[in-house]
Amino acid sequence: MKADLHIHSKYSGIGKIWKLKFLDSVEEPRNILKAAEKKGLSVIAITDHNTIKGGLKAKKYEKEFNVEVIVGSEILTKEGEIIGLFLNEEIPKGLSAEETVELIKEQGGLAIASHPYSPICKSLGDKIFDLNLDGVEVFNAYHRDGLVNNLALKKVIENYHKNPVAFIGSSDAHISSMVGNGYTLFNGETAEDLYKAIKSKKTTFGGSPTPLKQIIMWSYKTVCYSERKLIKSLYKNNVNLLNYCLDSLKFYKKLIIILAGAIYLFSPLPVISGIVGNYYLKYIAKKKVKALELS
């Protein structure tokens, strides 16, 4: 069966690339399960940034859809991001990678290195070979360049005799249509079967890179969501955008942001920014891979 073990929901907070800040995801957990069932996934993990809230919310919909939910979190450590699966409690960000892995395992969870050679995300790089990890994400569908995924797979294979880990594939979905673009294959059907498969290093992976149109749609949905919240805050109090109360934002600033959002939505900017961003990310991925190969 298939499992997608890296998915973000609206509880994932604020993302950042360079100096650009944005809503990481605006997707409802129920929509994620609906998409997962449609894609034929038997198990998914909600892995919002530094919180298990999305996973806990998603578990409420398990009976409505034929999909089992693993509570997880993508935790930012001092050295890079680590996914914790089968969590019961929050794990704080900002600890060392070793401390984070230890806290995950104290809960009986699994520690997975996400996108270890990403040029845009906080990633562990070769640090993965110094940690007591259960698995490494060797295919991340959101990283469309292909280069960093191939590098991760190559390095894990080369070091497998010293550091055996489970091979993990994931979508890194930020909207529901991305769910299942990447997945982990395992023998069995349940989350318990998946747990045993990862522990025994008997998993493989599959999928295809996230289509560019889905990346563009993610930015479009994010701006639409923000616009609706801002417009609502013009005539109603106590409107929150994530954990930020929009009451504290001055009226004229709201109008400026709404205007900027409207220009973005009703122009070719989503498509242009998507295409330009895609080429730029391929460029920096090439640079990073080349630098690592020379080092």
Side-chain angles (χ1 to χ4, degrees):
M1 296 297 289
K2 298 177 183 178
D4 189 347
L5 302 179
H6 187 169
I7 300 172
H8 296 279
S9 79
K10 71 175 188 178
Y11 298 99
S12 211
I14 300 291
K16 185 179 181 181
I17 298 179
W18 304 287
K19 293 184 179 180
L20 178 65
K21 293 184 179 180
F22 50 87
L23 294 175
D24 192 64
S25 174
V26 296
E27 198 60 81
E28 293 287 344
R30 185 180 182 278
N31 293 340
I32 292 170
L33 269 79
K34 185 178 180 180
E37 184 182 52
K38 190 176 180 180
K39 295 282 184 73
L41 299 169
S42 61
V43 180
I44 63 168
I46 306 295
T47 55
D48 290 323
H49 289 290
N50 309 304
T51 182
I52 62 173
K53 190 173 182 181
L56 294 173
K57 293 284 185 181
K59 283 195 77 68
K60 296 178 181 179
Y61 301 105
E62 281 182 319
K63 292 181 180 178
E64 184 178 350
F65 301 98
N66 191 29
V67 179
E68 199 168 355
V69 176
I70 296 169
V71 177
S73 175
E74 187 173 21
I75 306 151
L76 180 61
T77 75
K78 290 177 181 177
E79 294 87 358
E81 291 180 317
I82 295 175
I83 288 176
L85 301 177
F86 296 94
L87 300 181
N88 305 303
E89 298 175 4
E90 300 280 15
I91 294 175
K93 66 178 181 179
L95 302 175
S96 70
E98 288 84 358
E99 288 175 301
T100 301
V101 170
E102 185 178 343
L103 288 174
I104 290 169
K105 290 181 178 289
E106 281 180 5
Q107 297 186 35
L110 300 175
I112 310 294
S114 53
H115 42 63
Y117 296 98
S118 171
I120 56 170
C121 304
K122 301 286 186 181
S123 36
L124 293 169
D126 287 344
K127 179 74 175 177
I128 59 177
F129 304 117
D130 300 325
L131 300 171
N132 183 24
L133 296 169
D134 297 292
V136 173
E137 194 177 66
V138 295
F139 180 77
N140 179 300
Y142 197 76
H143 284 68
R144 291 172 35 82
D145 58 89
L147 299 171
V148 292
N149 284 331
N150 290 341
L151 179 63
L153 180 60
K154 178 185 174 185
K155 291 240 182 188
V156 168
I157 291 171
E158 287 174 349
N159 290 271
Y160 194 83
H161 65 288
K162 293 184 292 185
N163 299 89
V165 291
F167 291 73
I168 303 296
S170 306
S171 68
D172 200 353
H174 289 71
I175 57 174
S176 61
S177 59
M178 295 179 183
V179 171
N181 285 342
Y183 49 82
T184 300
L185 290 160
F186 66 101
N187 287 325
E189 296 182 355
T190 67
E192 184 179 354
D193 294 332
L194 174 65
Y195 185 96
K196 291 175 181 177
I198 292 175
K199 274 293 188 183
S200 60
K201 317 295 188 286
K202 293 180 179 178
T203 60
T204 186
F205 62 94
S208 56
T210 295
L212 182 58
K213 65 180 181 181
Q214 290 182 1
I215 305 285
I216 295 168
M217 184 53 65
W218 165 60
S219 72
Y220 195 87
K221 284 187 72 171
T222 301
V223 175
C224 279
Y225 179 87
S226 302
E227 289 284 276
R228 287 196 297 269
K229 290 285 187 178
L230 283 161
I231 291 169
K232 189 176 180 180
S233 73
L234 293 177
Y235 59 87
K236 192 172 182 179
N237 293 327
N238 299 318
V239 176
N240 291 329
L241 188 60
L242 295 182
N243 296 322
Y244 180 75
C245 182
L246 294 173
D247 290 356
S248 59
L249 194 63
K250 292 183 178 180
F251 188 84
Y252 79 91
K253 288 187 177 180
K254 292 180 185 179
L255 291 178
I256 292 171
I257 297 170
I258 290 169
L259 178 60
I263 292 170
Y264 182 83
L265 293 173
F266 297 102
S267 72
L269 279 174
V271 176
I272 293 170
S273 61
I275 294 171
V276 172
N278 184 60
Y279 277 104
Y280 180 69
L281 293 176
K282 283 185 178 179
Y283 168 74
I284 61 173
K286 285 180 182 178
K287 280 189 68 176
K288 177 156 189 173
V289 170
K290 188 175 181 180
L292 287 168
E293 287 176 343
L294 292 172
S295 63

